[in-house]
Amino acid sequence: QVQLVESGGGLVQAGGSLRLSCVASGSTFSNKAVGWYRQAPGNQRDFVARISSGGSTTYADSVKGRFTISRDNAKNTVYLQMNSLKPEDTAVYLCKAAPDGTWSWGLAYWGQGTQVTVSS
């Protein structure tokens, strides 16, 4: 079992920055890929970014060049640095952890989410 707790959300003006954190506890964290998803009211949950256990990163086209995902295995934490925020980035941001090989279909762990609101 892995427990995930997100933090760092809040209200920010367009063009501003926020850094989200996802802290893991429970099972081994360093051997899992970790990703960020977001969900706005009435919308589906969308992929934002992912970092593999080896440190390789993947981003949604909508956030490339603005968001950066990183991990600190010593702290069991994954970060999402969000710059140049836009109103359309407003959503609940959720953290997901799963083994690299079964990321798309296997057992995954999710956090409760943190709200990000970007005002225009």
Side-chain angles (χ1 to χ4, degrees), residues 9-115:
L11 174 63
V12 64
Q13 289 188 330
S17 298
L18 284 173
R19 188 177 80 157
L20 306 184
S21 298
C22 172
V23 180
S25 61
S27 182
T28 303
F29 174 74
S30 60
N31 65 357
K32 292 179 176 60
V34 181
W36 288 94
Y37 288 70
R38 63 188 182 187
Q39 188 166 18
N43 288 3
Q44 65 182 17
R45 187 172 294 183
D46 292 327
F47 170 77
V48 175
R50 173 182 178 271
I51 186 165
S52 72
S53 59
S56 297
T57 58
T58 309
Y59 297 93
D61 288 342
S62 59
V63 307
K64 279 181 182 176
R66 299 189 299 124
F67 291 10
T68 302
I69 189 170
S70 61
R71 67 189 300 160
D72 184 342
N73 289 334
K75 296 182 178 180
N76 282 353
T77 302
V78 166
Y79 303 99
L80 185 68
Q81 178 66 44
M82 306 187 296
N83 299 329
S84 302
L85 282 162
K86 305 174 182 180
E88 51 263 44
D89 294 318
T90 295
V92 174
Y93 283 70
L94 303 107
C95 181
K96 170 187 173 181
D100 294 86
T102 61
W103 177 262
S104 298
W105 55 269
L107 176 64
Y109 304 95
W110 291 88
Q112 294 298 309
T114 185
Q115 176 70 46

